[in-house]
């Protein structure tokens, strides 16, 4: 009987030991799993702090506040219909009748402020103009470059290639800057009245020729006493009618 009791007790102890060992193994697994789950967000957070993320929020760069250069030529709070052409954009109608009045729909460019006749700010408006291209305007409506390399006194009269620009308050079709052939019309500052006065009073000494820059003719008149008066009279007539001009080929003032 005693042997049986010891056997049962030994079996009970072995079963208890086996149960405790299994319980310790299970608790170890659960603890490691909990540790892994708890450490994963921390590692993710550390990674997000140390490495750049492709999902980072995008911040738009501040819009440029630079003012366009054409704004300096646009009067502020003036009438829209009187703005320079560089300050507006118009729907050009090239089918208008040449020489006839035409109306075009226009809109002011960004950063340009203008008003109507009632002093109300507006963006869309209309302008009235004559249907013609810019190169067909009157000579007083554009400004051209001058050339000092051509002779104004020549036969036939010389021309030069000029670059012309339409004035700001003039509206026209086509390019506002265009080339044009013009007659030589520049001046070197010589006055016709001064040349004629010198020819009449001191022409016998060649003063008129010296004034116009013609040194050889002036010396000839000086040493010949005006060609004994004949050359002096001829020069008075030639300068009087404008046939003799400055030596640089320019026009009289």
């Amino acid at each position: 009987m005693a042997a049986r009791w010891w056997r049962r007790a030994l079996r009970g102890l072995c079963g208890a030991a086996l149960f405790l060992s299994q319980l310790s193994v299970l608790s170890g697994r659960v603890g490691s799993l909990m540790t892994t789950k708890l450490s994963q967000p921390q590692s993710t957070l550390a990674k997000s702090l140390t490495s750049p993320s492709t999902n980072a929020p995008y911040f738009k760069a501040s819009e440029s506040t630079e003012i366009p250069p054409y704004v300096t030529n646009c009067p502020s709070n003036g009438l829209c219909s009187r703005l320079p052409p560089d300050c507006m954009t118009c729907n050009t109608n090239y089918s208008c009748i040449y020489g006839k009045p035409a109306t075009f729909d226009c809109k002011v460019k960004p950063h340009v402020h203008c008003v109507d006749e009632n002093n109300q700010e507006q963006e869309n408006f209309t302008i009235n103009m004559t249907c013609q291209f810019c190169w067909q305007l009157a000579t007083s409506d554009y400004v051209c470059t001058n050339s000092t390399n051509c002779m104004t006194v020549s036969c036939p009269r010389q021309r030069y290639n000029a670059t012309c620009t339409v004035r700001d308050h003039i509206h026209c079709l086509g390019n506002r800057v265009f080339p044009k052939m013009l007659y030589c019309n520049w001046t070197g500052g010589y006055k016709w009245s001064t040349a004629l006065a010198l020819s009449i009073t001191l022409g016998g000494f060649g003063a008129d020729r010296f004034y116009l820059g013609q040194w050889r003719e002036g010396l000839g008149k000086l040493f010949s006493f005006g060609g004994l008066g004949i050359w002096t009279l001829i020069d008075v007539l030639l300068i009087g009618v404008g046939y003799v001009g400055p030596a640089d080929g320019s026009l009289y003032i």
Side-chain angles (χ1 to χ4, degrees):
M1 293 293 293
R4 292 181 180 178
W5 183 83
W6 282 108
R7 290 178 182 176
R8 291 180 179 177
L10 184 60
R11 290 177 181 177
L13 290 175
C14 292
L18 180 62
F19 174 76
L20 291 176
S21 62
Q22 291 180 354
L23 182 61
S24 63
V25 172
L26 291 175
S27 61
R29 291 182 178 179
V30 172
S32 62
L33 181 60
M34 292 293 294
T35 304
T36 304
K37 289 184 177 181
L38 290 175
S39 61
Q40 183 175 1
Q42 296 180 357
S43 62
T44 304
L45 179 60
K47 183 178 181 181
S48 64
L49 292 176
T50 56
S51 62
S53 175
T54 57
N55 296 325
Y58 173 73
F59 295 97
K60 293 181 63 178
S62 58
E63 294 183 358
S64 176
T65 58
E66 183 179 358
I67 299 177
Y70 61 80
V71 177
T72 58
N73 299 325
C74 304
S76 180
N77 295 327
L79 289 177
C80 294
S81 58
R82 295 185 179 179
L83 286 174
D86 293 338
C87 305
M88 65 182 73
T89 303
C90 299
N91 296 326
T92 306
N93 181 16
Y94 288 95
S95 61
C96 58
I97 302 175
Y98 172 74
K100 299 294 183 180
T103 302
F104 298 99
D105 296 327
C106 301
K107 181 180 180 180
V108 295
K109 291 183 177 180
H111 303 283
V112 178
H113 304 279
C114 62
V115 296
D116 57 8
E117 290 76 5
N118 299 325
N119 203 25
Q120 299 293 328
E121 187 172 357
Q122 63 176 170
E123 294 184 358
N124 301 313
F125 57 96
T126 59
I127 60 171
N128 298 319
M129 55 177 285
T130 303
C131 181
Q132 59 183 348
F133 286 94
C134 295
W135 60 270
Q136 296 173 322
L137 293 171
T139 55
S140 58
D141 293 335
Y142 53 84
V143 179
C144 300
T145 57
N146 291 325
S147 175
T148 58
N149 297 325
C150 57
M151 300 290 292
T152 59
V153 182
S154 62
C155 186
R157 191 175 178 186
Q158 289 187 7
R159 293 173 178 261
Y160 70 98
N161 291 319
T163 301
C164 302
T165 305
V166 181
R167 299 185 185 274
D168 289 340
H169 64 281
I170 302 297
H171 297 274
C172 55
L173 302 176
N175 296 326
R176 298 184 61 82
V177 179
F178 54 91
K180 197 166 188 177
M181 292 290 294
L182 299 177
Y183 286 109
C184 297
N185 60 350
W186 65 285
T187 178
Y190 298 95
K191 294 184 178 180
W192 172 81
S193 58
T194 303
L196 182 61
L198 290 175
S199 181
I200 295 173
T201 58
L202 301 174
F205 301 99
D208 51 353
R209 293 284 184 165
F210 285 126
Y211 172 73
L212 296 175
Q214 302 175 6
W215 296 96
R216 289 177 296 181
E217 292 81 354
L219 291 174
K221 291 181 69 175
L222 177 62
F223 291 111
S224 65
F225 300 102
L228 300 178
I230 299 175
W231 194 349
T232 302
L233 294 176
I234 294 175
D235 273 354
V236 170
L237 294 176
L238 295 178
I239 294 175
V241 299
Y243 183 80
V244 175
D248 58 4
S250 62
L251 294 175
Y252 287 116
I253 296 177

